[in-house]
Amino acid sequence: MMKRKNRSSWARTAIIYHIYPLSFKDSNSDGKGDLKGILEKLDYLNDGTEKSLGVNAIWLSPVYCSPMADFGYDVSDYYEIDPVFGDLEIFEELVREVHGRGMKILMDFIPNHTSAQHPWFLESRVSRDNPKRNWYIWQNPKPNGAPPNNWLSCFGRSAWTYDEKTQQYYLHSFFPEQPDLNWRNLQVQKEMRKVLQFWLARGVDGFRVDAISHIMKDEQLRDDPPNPNYVPGAINPYESLLHIYSKERPELQEVLNTLCEVLDQKEDRFMVSEAYVDIPGLMALHQACKNGLHAPMNLNFIEMPWNAQVYRRFIDDFEKSLSPDDIPVHVLGNHDRSRIATRLGQQKARLAALLIFTLQGIPLVYYGEEIGMEDEEIPEEKIQDPLDKRIPGFKLGRDPARTPMQWSAHKYAGFSDALPWLPIGRNYKTHNVEDERKDSSSMFNLYRNLIHYRKKSPILLYGSYESIDPGNNEIVAFLRKFDREQILVALNFSQEEQPLSLHFSQARVIYSTCFDREPGEMVTLGKFRLKPYEGVMYRYYRRI
Ligand code: GLC
């Protein structure tokens, strides 16, 4: 196999901040966030000083024209900005301003499906012999009128919707308003590569590729087998099948590589992709891209039980699988999942932050994580995400994690002058940017300190990883090493104090998530006790 070599100069040192544009900052008082709002807040993200958060890349959830059946993940025009967010001119200004701050900008790229309102689909559904018919996946009903196979939509019920007019079913891995493109059709591939080229020409530094696992399906459309571990009523019905034919097909590798090749046409671009897969699945995606300009996001921490042994095993195994050119991307939350501060609670969320900022690779921060935003319960009449209604009873609606960014304790949390599209999180009086800036032990200052420390630390950016046995099942500990220098990270997963039994070793505290240790304090690790849910980063000297 051709040797992979990562040609992106910035990816290894990137800290990506994920903006959900509808909820970041509203500049025109319509209750919805927009591009000008993002422009207003760039200094917050990085003003070149250590007072700002300090991230050096942003990823925008989609801002293309969209009927918003899935809030932008249903694109009706890949070449235009939706008027809710602004226009191309403002987008270009945003790109300039981002670059002016030495930051990078990634767009969301949605290859698996378009909106049902996209002109391609409107044409495709006109007749069975329309030239665009084969741009989507159409099939005859079974003789009894049933859908062509048993595939399920991630968003509930069958993945097939019957179209009266031409009497065939079309496939949609998500909402029926999001018909799946046929990636076996080379014209489709060509058109979608053009989309990438268009935005690269406008200066974007890369993409976050949506739902990559879904783009190739089994050519014979075989039924997915049942999942033997499925417990009806207890788990999302989508999990009743093992999706071995409807997604994660081996052909995906080649197609992904063609997208990576497009990136290589311009200098220094990079993309990350969304795939909820285990370590072998992640490695397959890392290896797919021959020029190394792509990394799948590690989304495993989102679902991992809070258990030091489970975390340790995962991190060790993942680290062992990675080759030196692979860049892992560690994620704690996103616009589809419950927020980390809700899933784990504020204290553990601090520990998780220390973890992703001290592992090798790219830490990815979902907006609001850095101020401890939590899920907000949405009253029924204010629900926006249709998922709640399609799969009732499982609390799968994604609105709770998409509430407006909490800028201050003022009205509407400083997000907008008008009633926001989703309610403000109830902890906004205590968890907001303005107030957290002033509190040296706030989540904001934890994130800010970790980000700035990481950016200056060759050990954290380029160092190798070495797992160590802390002699305690409640602790995850590892070393990062670079040029004979070492940083030791120790995380106490338990709610009790825990001794860190690394004998005959001394270390200096660099940073503690509990904030009440003196940086620079010399400690002897055999005698050191980590506080409940405390994470500490030390400068490490192996022997006294
Ligand atoms: C991804 C997005 C999610 C969207 C889905 C369909 O999982 O993160 O928000 O609904 O793809 O595009």
Side-chain angles (χ1 to χ4, degrees), residues 70 73 113 155 174 178 208 210-211 274 335-336 398 402:
D70 191 18
Y73 285 94
H113 45 267
F155 290 169
F174 298 91
Q178 296 166 296
R208 172 268 190 186
D210 185 66
E274 179 207 33
H335 62 295
D336 296 326
R398 298 163 295 174
R402 296 175 175 179

Side-chain angles (χ1 to χ4, degrees), residues 60-334:
L60 305 186
S61 271
V63 290
Y64 311 102
C65 275
S66 164
M68 302 284 165
D70 191 18
F71 299 99
Y73 285 94
D74 49 321
V75 179
S76 53
D77 186 346
Y78 287 95
Y79 297 101
E80 272 297 343
I81 302 291
D82 194 280
V84 157
F85 299 115
D87 55 30
L88 256 181
E89 214 176 298
I90 302 170
F91 182 81
E92 285 178 347
E93 188 183 340
L94 180 65
V95 173
R96 276 195 305 277
E97 288 291 321
V98 166
H99 287 161
R101 284 167 173 75
M103 299 164 76
K104 305 288 179 185
I105 180 165
L106 309 182
M107 279 194 107
D108 220 301
F109 175 58
I110 300 109
N112 179 67
H113 45 267
T114 66
S115 158
Q117 301 304 317
H118 194 291
W120 299 339
F121 190 69
L122 294 179
E123 267 190 61
S124 181
R125 76 192 310 179
V126 167
S127 66
R128 289 192 184 197
D129 55 9
N130 185 282
K132 293 238 164 32
R133 188 66 170 182
N134 195 26
W135 282 40
Y136 294 84
I137 302 170
W138 292 96
Q139 285 292 313
N140 285 330
K142 284 195 170 157
N144 65 359
N149 66 19
N150 73 350
W151 292 357
L152 294 172
S153 149
C154 297
F155 290 169
R157 308 178 212 163
S158 169
W160 298 93
T161 287
Y162 188 64
D163 198 46
E164 280 296 340
K165 181 157 183 233
T166 54
Q167 304 195 349
Q168 280 190 320
Y169 282 91
Y170 68 88
L171 183 71
H172 51 87
S173 299
F174 298 91
F175 290 126
E177 293 85 350
Q178 296 166 296
D180 281 24
L181 282 163
N182 176 11
W183 274 77
R184 291 184 188 275
N185 181 333
L186 295 182
Q187 269 178 297
V188 167
Q189 294 199 15
K190 197 167 150 211
E191 275 304 319
M192 294 306 276
R193 284 199 296 269
K194 268 199 218 158
V195 173
L196 294 180
Q197 281 156 350
F198 176 86
W199 293 103
L200 290 174
R202 262 143 205 86
V204 308
D205 302 283
F207 302 90
R208 172 268 190 186
V209 186
D210 185 66
I212 190 76
S213 314
H214 292 267
I215 63 177
M216 295 303 275
K217 291 96 179 159
D218 180 42
E219 203 163 11
Q220 299 165 48
L221 304 178
R222 281 171 283 186
D223 272 355
D224 277 333
N227 174 1
N229 299 322
Y230 176 62
V231 186
I235 320 177
N236 177 354
Y238 179 67
E239 305 303 339
S240 62
L241 300 179
L242 298 173
H243 309 284
I244 59 170
Y245 293 119
S246 54
K247 64 175 195 174
E248 283 163 42
R249 302 299 301 161
E251 302 92 311
L252 163 62
Q253 311 281 317
E254 211 180 302
V255 177
L256 180 57
N257 190 45
T258 63
L259 300 180
C260 295
E261 282 167 1
V262 178
L263 291 195
D264 229 353
Q265 293 166 9
K266 293 266 176 191
E267 224 170 281
D268 214 11
R269 310 298 161 103
F270 194 74
M271 67 187 189
V272 298
S273 64
E274 179 207 33
Y276 287 87
V277 290
D278 57 9
I279 294 172
L282 286 170
M283 293 322 300
L285 292 171
H286 273 290
Q287 283 150 14
C289 179
K290 303 285 187 288
N291 58 19
L293 296 180
H294 158 260
M297 296 188 230
N298 163 31
L299 297 162
N300 289 276
F301 292 143
I302 295 183
E303 282 162 0
M304 209 169 278
W306 185 253
N307 176 311
Q309 300 301 311
V310 175
Y311 269 71
R312 186 174 165 200
R313 214 170 310 126
F314 175 84
I315 298 165
D316 287 355
D317 289 350
F318 192 21
E319 283 287 340
K320 267 185 227 141
S321 315
L322 291 164
S323 81
D325 282 327
D326 295 331
I327 304 180
V329 183
H330 298 295
V331 179
L332 300 176
N334 58 36

